[in-house]
């Protein structure tokens, strides 16, 4: 893990070049993500199993149907504001890696490394493992109608799902985006079916819980703390809205398609979330909804009759697409971290013909498979959920800091500062409430994050001060990197503009001279 001077030279000035442009004889990430696929990444990552399985969390804390719907709408608007802030940052700092890259460039290496550390250590492996387990649960459930599927069967099927999708992502960016497009369309069709059935129910007069006098009738006393918790759970349901920023360098015309995909996707998701919840309460009372652990399945059983199997299949397809999107985007985060010297350099290399970050994808898959072997994944997610949300606010605050530090920086998109301010007010409200209501959980999450501080000083900062002691100069490290390159047929991607890319390839890619002639296929 090094962050030597030769890398720093290419972190800002040549960011655009690193986005997929290649020098003669170089290998680089290809720009293969168009507008439709970009929307598929955002929508596919936001809409996972949550809207099908358990929207009851918001209702339970909102205390009434009307307040719950207001929470879904406001949370969608806040998510759209955060996405707009990320859109400006994404075209101002056009590098893959999303908030990791922005935090590192604005606040320095330590802040960026801590964001990467918590993501590598827990956030993405556990999230992917949980989504894969949800997929396997809904696939196997019809085979075990009277009991829960065996734990070993769930984990084996989840592992197969991960291995299959990792192979697809390693084989081709185009294949991975096509999978994302298809399964995103599938889950939207399933949700469209739910919404249409809800409209039919309303036309039949089944809208008792949507009438204002009934919608705002609380089934428990209203409480500010509980409503804040409803907003927090709603915010988690919209999680994934920033994932497109992780693959900025692979976007076709990112200055146009990044903001355009956000403008299309976030309102679409908000519309789907709100109207799906409206549909649910046309067929179920709040008490029935709260008693169900799989709301869409219960909804289907009530209204679809013999076709009720459509709902569990929809959840399975939705989660399969969710695993694909998470693998695709998280591997780019690890790729970006390795390129900046915060992870082993092998993870920053791409296949000489396929131009896919195979080492980063394999690392993502392996870490997720390890999480499948543990029994504490959900606890870990609770611990780091607070940290994940913390970095959203830090990133948006960085937009304001960057405006002050670099007022003349070229910004293809420039939004009013009132929007990040609104987002930060909402963010601070939820963060303070989280600290107040769950101090132990938040404290453990912070402790996990802070374990990255000594790692940073030993593996990155100290390494820069004493370059002769660099990890790259260790014979074992060099041999392992070389072996990894031979096995994966990867080289370091070309960068132009500062010369840093060529120097880096010389130092970090033992195979680059040998295999550069193959790069023409990219």
């Amino acid at each position: 893990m090094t962050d030597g001077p030769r890398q720093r030279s290419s972190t800002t000035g040549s960011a655009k070049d690193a986005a997929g442009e290649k020098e003669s004889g170089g290998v680089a990430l290809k720009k293969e993500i168009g507008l439709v696929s970009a929307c598929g990444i955002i929508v596919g990552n936001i809409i996972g199993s949550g809207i099908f399985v358990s929207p009851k969390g918001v209702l339970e804390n909102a205390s009434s149907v009307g307040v719950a719907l207001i929470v879904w709408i406001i949370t969608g608007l806040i998510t759209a504001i955060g996405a707009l802030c990320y859109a400006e940052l994404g075209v101002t700092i056009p590098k893959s890696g999303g908030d990791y890259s922005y935090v590192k460039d604005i606040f320095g290496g330590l802040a960026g490394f801590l964001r990467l550390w918590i993501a590598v250590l827990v956030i993405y492996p556990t999230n992917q493992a949980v989504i894969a387990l949800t997929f396997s649960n809904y696939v196997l459930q019809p085979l075990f109608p009277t009991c829960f599927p065996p734990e070993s069967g769930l984990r084996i099927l989840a592992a197969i799902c991960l291995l299959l999708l990792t192979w697809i992502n390693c084989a081709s960016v185009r294949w991975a985006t096509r999978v994302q497009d298809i399964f995103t369309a599938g889950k939207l069709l399933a949700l469209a079916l739910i919404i249409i059935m809800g409209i039919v129910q309303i036309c039949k007069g089944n809208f008792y819980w949507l009438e204002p006098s009934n919608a705002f009738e609380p089934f428990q006393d209203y409480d500010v703390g509980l409503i804040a918790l409803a907003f927090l759970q709603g915010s988690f349901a919209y999680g994934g809205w920033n994932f497109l920023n992780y693959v900025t360098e692979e976007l076709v015309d990112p200055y146009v398609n990044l903001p355009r995909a956000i403008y299309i996707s976030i309102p679409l998701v908000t519309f789907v979330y709100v109207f799906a919840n409206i549909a649910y309460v046309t067929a179920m009372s709040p008490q029935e909804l709260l008693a169900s652990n799989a709301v869409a399945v219960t909804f289907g059983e009530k209204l679809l009759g013999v076709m009720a199997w459509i709902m569990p299949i929809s959840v399975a397809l939705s989660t399969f697409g969710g695993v694909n999107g998470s693998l695709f985007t998280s591997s780019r985060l690890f790729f970006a971290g390795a390129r900046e010297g915060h992870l082993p350099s092998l993870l920053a290399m791409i296949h000489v013909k396929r131009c896919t970050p195979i080492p980063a994808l394999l690392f993502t898959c392996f870490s997720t498979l390890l999480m499948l072997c543990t029994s504490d994944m959900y606890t870990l997610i609770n611990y780091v959920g607070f940290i994940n949300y913390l970095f959203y606010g830090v990133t948006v605050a960085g937009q304001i800091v960057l405006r002050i530090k670099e007022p003349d920086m070229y910004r293809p998109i420039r939004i009013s500062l009132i929007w990040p301010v609104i987002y930060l007010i909402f963010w601070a409200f939820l963060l303070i409430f989280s600290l107040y209501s769950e101090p132990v959980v938040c404290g453990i999450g912070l402790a996990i994050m802070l374990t990255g501080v000594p790692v940073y000083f030993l593996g990155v900062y100290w390494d820069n001060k004493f370059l002769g002691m660099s990890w790259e100069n260790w014979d074992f490290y060099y041999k392992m990197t070389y072996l990894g390159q031979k096995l994966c047929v990867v080289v370091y991607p070309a960068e132009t503009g500062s010369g840093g890319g060529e120097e880096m390839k010389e130092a970090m890619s033992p195979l680059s001279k040998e295999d550069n002639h193959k790069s023409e296929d990219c």
Side-chain angles (χ1 to χ4, degrees), residues 30 62 159 381 385 478:
K30 293 193 290 184
I381 286 179
Y478 182 86

Side-chain angles (χ1 to χ4, degrees), residues 171-398:
S172 169
V173 172
R174 194 180 301 270
W175 291 5
T177 55
R178 290 296 176 270
V179 168
Q180 194 66 18
D181 295 345
I182 291 168
F183 282 91
T184 297
K187 70 180 71 177
L188 286 176
L189 287 173
L191 286 164
L193 176 61
I194 290 173
I195 292 170
I196 290 170
M197 287 191 295
I199 293 172
V200 171
Q201 285 287 98
I202 291 173
C203 293
K204 290 180 177 178
N206 298 318
F207 49 80
Y208 176 84
W209 291 105
L210 296 176
E211 295 176 357
S213 58
N214 301 318
F216 291 94
E217 179 183 338
F219 49 82
Q220 62 184 7
D221 293 337
Y222 287 119
D223 180 85
V224 174
L226 288 176
I227 292 174
L229 190 57
F231 275 111
L232 189 62
Q233 294 187 354
S235 297
F236 289 141
Y238 282 93
W241 55 267
N242 60 325
F243 276 23
L244 186 62
N245 291 69
Y246 290 161
V247 296
T248 304
E249 295 175 22
E250 293 168 86
L251 274 176
V252 175
D253 196 2
Y255 297 108
V256 174
N257 284 332
L258 177 62
R260 189 174 291 175
I262 290 170
Y263 299 152
I264 295 170
S265 302
I266 304 300
L268 174 62
V269 171
T270 303
F271 173 86
V272 167
Y273 273 15
V274 172
F275 281 87
N277 278 278
I278 288 174
Y280 289 147
V281 296
T282 63
M284 293 179 281
S285 68
Q287 290 73 24
E288 288 177 306
L289 196 149
L290 292 174
S292 173
N293 288 321
V295 176
V297 174
T298 305
F299 180 82
E301 289 172 350
K302 280 181 168 288
L303 300 183
L304 289 175
V306 294
M307 299 296 289
W309 56 267
I310 290 176
M311 285 300 118
I313 293 298
S314 298
V315 177
L317 295 178
S318 178
T319 49
F320 187 83
V323 175
N324 180 72
S326 185
L327 277 171
F328 185 86
T329 52
S330 61
S331 64
R332 270 57 177 183
L333 172 62
F334 301 158
F335 167 86
R339 188 175 58 187
E340 301 294 348
H342 288 170
L343 288 174
S345 58
L346 180 64
L347 299 183
M349 298 181 193
I350 63 176
H351 194 272
V352 295
K353 287 188 176 181
R354 302 183 185 279
C355 298
T356 53
I358 290 178
L361 282 161
L362 293 178
F363 174 78
T364 306
C365 179
F366 179 71
S367 60
T368 306
L369 290 173
L370 285 180
M371 283 296 174
L372 286 176
C373 299
T374 72
S375 58
D376 296 323
M377 286 183 297
Y378 295 94
T379 304
L380 286 172
I381 286 179
N382 288 335
Y383 289 153
V384 299
F386 167 78
I387 303 301
N388 202 28
Y389 203 71
L390 172 67
F391 273 103
Y392 287 165
V394 170
T395 305
V396 173

